[in-house]
């Protein structure tokens, strides 16, 4: 059951990234670009979680997942602060 939840979270973040970046391409609003990049990073983090917990359960990738998530959220914060319109 947890494998399904991990996979669905990864696919959901991938869908969000796709929709945000597609909308950015049409409208050129900077906040959509930064939000899309944040979700790209969260997608990578989710797929590293799948690798960590399902594919390679003996390897601890927690540090890498946390760094990926932190960088992704910093992109979002930067985008929110820099694109005040």
């Amino acid at each position: 059951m947890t494998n399904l939840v991990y996979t669905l979270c990864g696919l959901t973040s991938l869908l969000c990234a796709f929709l945000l970046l597609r909308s950015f391409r049409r409208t050129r609003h900077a906040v959509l670009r930064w939000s899309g990049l944040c979700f790209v990073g969260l997608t990578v983090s989710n797929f590293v979680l799948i690798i960590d917990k399902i594919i390679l359960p003996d390897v601890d990738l927690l540090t890498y997942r946390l760094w990926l998530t932190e960088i992704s959220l910093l992109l979002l914060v930067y985008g929110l602060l820099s694109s005040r319109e």
Side-chain angles (χ1 to χ4, degrees), residues 3 9 18 21 32-34 38 41 47 53 55 61 66 84:
N3 298 349
C9 287
F18 171 75
L21 291 173
L32 291 172
R33 175 185 55 216
W34 293 109
C38 172
F47 286 118
K53 298 293 181 181
I55 299 173
L61 299 175
L66 291 176
R84 290 178 270 162

Side-chain angles (χ1 to χ4, degrees), residues 2-3 5-10 41-57 59-62 64-66 68-69:
T2 58
N3 298 349
V5 172
Y6 295 152
T7 305
L8 288 175
C9 287
L42 292 176
T43 301
V44 173
S45 177
N46 278 315
F47 286 118
V48 171
L49 173 68
I50 292 170
I51 292 170
D52 186 17
K53 298 293 181 181
I54 300 170
I55 299 173
L56 301 172
V59 179
D60 184 26
L61 299 175
L62 176 65
Y64 300 108
R65 287 189 287 127
L66 291 176
L68 284 168
T69 304

Side-chain angles (χ1 to χ4, degrees), residues 15-40 79 82-83 85:
L15 179 63
C16 289
F18 171 75
L19 291 173
L20 285 165
L21 291 173
R22 184 180 70 173
S23 182
F24 166 71
R25 194 171 39 132
R26 272 193 310 235
T27 64
R28 294 294 183 199
H29 291 294
V31 72
L32 291 172
R33 175 185 55 216
W34 293 109
S35 298
L37 290 175
C38 172
F39 272 94
V40 167
S82 68
S83 62
E85 297 179 27

